Structures are given as C-alpha cells and as structure tokens.
Amino acid sequence: MRVLIFDDYEQMSRWAAHYVAWKIRQLATPQRPFVLGLPTGSTPVGTYRHLVELYRQGKVSFRHVITFNMDEYVGLGPDHPQSYAYFMHQHLWDHVDLPPQQAHIPNGLAEDLEQECQRYEQAIAQAGGIDLFLGGLGHDGHIAFNEPGSSLRSRTRVVHLSEDTIRANARFFQGNLSQVPRKALTVGVGTILDAREVMLLVSGQSKAWALHQIVEQGVNHMWTGSALQLHPQAWILCDEPATEELKVKTVRYFRQAGQSWMQLPPLD
Ligand code: GLP
C-alpha cells in the first residue's frame, strides 16, 4: 500500500487528476479502451475539476475511456439532483469528450435490482475489468457503499445504508434525514479488489480515524477500506488533516517514500 500525503486538498486533487490523465494517455487505445472506476461524494470533486481542466488544455481525451461508477441510490433516477448519475453529469461527463454510451452507473430505478447488479458485473467483465478504480472513504471506513460488516468478497448488490451514512449524506438532501434513500446499489469490495489498481482519496480531519483504521490496523470487514491492504497496487492519497490519527513514524515513512512515488512525467 502506498500512502501519499499532500499538504492540502488542492494538491491531492491536482496530483490525482494528473495521475489519471497520465494512465489514460499511456494505456487508452481504440482497440483497448482504458477502464476507469469512479466515485461520487465531495472528496473527488477537486479531482474531477482538474481532469476537466486537463481535458480543456488538450492534455487528455476520454474518447477511448470506459467508466463504471461505484454506486447509486435505489429509487433515484438521473434527473434527480441528488442521484449519483446527476452528480457525474454535473462534475465530469458533461464537460469532457467521454462518449455517453461509455459511461456506466448502476440503475437505481431498475425494476429488478438483483438482475441490474448482475448485469453491472457482467458489463465490467465484458469491458475487460477495471484498470484503475478511484474511490473515497466514508467516516466509518466504508468504500463505495460497502458498510461495516460487508463481506470482503462481496460483489455488486443491493445494500441497506447504515445510520452513520444516512446522517452523513443528509447534507446533500437539505439536512433532511427522511429524504435520504435507505438502500443503494453498490459494487462490492471484491469488485473493487479485482481492479488492476485502486486509488482512494481521503480528505479532512473528520476522516482521520477511518484512515488510521484502514492503514494502521488489520484487514477487517468493519472498516471495509482496510481491504486495500490485500491489493498489490493500492494507493491512498490523503491531505495533512486526514493524517491526524496516524503515528508520527507512519507519517514520516510515507512522507519520505512519497517523494519518489509522487514523481510523474509531464503531460506535454
Ligand atoms: C458515500 C459514497 C462513497 C463516498 C463516501 C464519502 O457514502 N457512497 O463512495 O466515498 O460517501 O463521501 P465524501 O467524499 O462526501 O466524504
């Protein structure tokens, strides 16, 4: 696991966007598009802003990219402003040259939700698997909507959201708890671990305890982000405030090692 510690959110977001753009430029071809897994939430907003900027500067194109989002609320369609599909249009899809038919997200309005989950897993497999899965981290250490207690081998499925998550996400529903859907469709921890590379973005002091759990404690289904410890190509990008609960020794090690891990070729 590589933990990259940035001074602030802006630096972290810029580096993440640069890395994604660099991978796309390296690997995406018409014959073998680059397959990118995408998160929602407030944390990736900066990364999407920088990716759009890089696209506008002509430094990256999404023509040969296929995307798969991590999750979606059950009962919300793409026209609902709090749906994750709406979020993706707003922050990325509508601003880059990603062909609409290459952007995938679970359908929260599907009549048969179980079937929708199977279809989603098959679509990922048909695309050749995910090259790079970006993710965020919940306050309780969850990745995608894999709440505490999720199997570390779980696949795409319907889940019940925990009280913590409902409360945390109420801020997007004018603070109204009753408006937050109780269920979601989410890729599983196993689906995420199948990606060739996984990169979590973690920002702010409010995530510090979760970061400590997934970096310094053992693999544990109560902190599903800890499953990244099992992945051979896992990155955790965080800002300084998120490191508050890490040991000084841990921070020192990753700060030092990060100096070489952070080197990226320019995108000219
Ligand atoms: C939701 C999403 C996660 C996201 C998490 C944290 O639960 N399903 O994918 O990582 O929120 O969101 P934020 O970045 O807003 O803290």
Side-chain angles (χ1 to χ4, degrees):
M1 179 187 269
R2 290 179 166 189
V3 180
L4 296 188
I5 302 168
F6 296 87
D7 290 343
D8 56 33
Y9 174 76
E10 191 54 23
Q11 270 191 32
M12 176 187 81
S13 305
R14 194 176 308 120
W15 193 90
H18 188 122
Y19 185 80
V20 173
W22 175 66
K23 290 293 285 197
I24 292 173
R25 286 170 51 132
Q26 256 195 331
L27 297 177
T29 65
Q31 296 75 29
R32 169 68 175 88
F34 185 75
V35 186
L36 182 61
L38 296 174
T40 51
S42 48
T43 314
V45 169
T47 303
Y48 292 148
R49 184 167 30 85
H50 283 290
L51 272 175
V52 170
E53 213 172 287
L54 290 174
Y55 163 72
R56 288 189 178 140
Q57 291 166 358
K59 293 187 172 165
V60 68
S61 163
F62 292 79
R63 241 171 339 126
H64 305 307
V65 174
I66 297 177
T67 66
F68 285 93
N69 265 80
M70 295 188 128
D71 42 18
E72 179 59 285
Y73 289 115
V74 167
L76 302 194
D79 295 336
H80 192 291
Q82 266 66 50
S83 73
Y84 284 168
Y86 192 97
F87 172 101
M88 289 310 301
H89 278 289
Q90 204 181 15
H91 291 284
L92 185 70
W93 294 344
D94 292 354
H95 310 290
V96 296
D97 61 346
L98 177 72
Q101 70 278 12
Q102 287 167 212
H104 303 267
I105 187 160
N107 177 8
L109 295 179
E111 257 178 51
D112 187 333
L113 294 171
E114 301 297 337
Q115 200 179 42
E116 170 62 7
C117 294
Q118 280 177 23
R119 185 198 65 79
Y120 205 67
E121 283 280 338
Q122 279 161 12
I124 294 174
Q126 262 162 28
I130 291 176
D131 290 305
L132 170 61
F133 222 135
L134 294 182
L137 188 68
H139 295 99
D140 56 5
H142 72 241
I143 42 172
F145 267 135
N146 293 286
E147 301 285 29
S150 296
S151 160
L152 300 184
R153 287 195 166 180
S154 51
R155 311 301 307 186
T156 305
R157 68 203 187 288
V158 184
V159 292
H160 290 266
L161 301 185
S162 72
E163 275 307 307
D164 279 352
T165 299
I166 291 168
R167 232 173 286 125
N169 289 357
R171 68 187 194 277
F172 299 114
F173 294 80
Q174 286 92 41
N176 191 340
L177 282 181
S178 68
Q179 294 294 304
V180 186
R182 270 29 191 179
K183 286 187 193 174
L185 303 180
T186 183
V187 296
V189 180
T191 321
I192 297 169
L193 291 183
D194 279 355
R196 290 175 194 94
E197 204 170 352
V198 183
M199 181 177 281
L200 288 195
L201 304 167
V202 186
S203 167
Q205 195 265 338
S206 70
K207 300 285 175 71
W209 189 247
L211 187 67
H212 154 71
Q213 290 290 337
I214 71 164
V215 172
E216 294 183 324
Q217 299 298 311
V219 176
N220 185 324
H221 72 165
M222 296 310 283
W223 299 86
T224 54
S226 65
L228 260 70
Q229 294 174 29
L230 300 170
H231 197 285
Q233 281 293 338
W235 300 82
I236 295 185
L237 272 50
C238 59
D239 56 14
E240 191 69 42
T243 64
E244 201 163 291
E245 298 286 350
L246 296 182
K247 285 186 190 145
V248 172
K249 196 174 172 182
T250 306
V251 172
R252 203 176 284 150
Y253 170 73
F254 284 120
R255 273 261 185 216
Q256 203 163 24
Q259 285 172 10
S260 59
W261 295 336
M262 280 184 200
Q263 303 298 326
L264 283 180
L267 294 171
D268 302 324

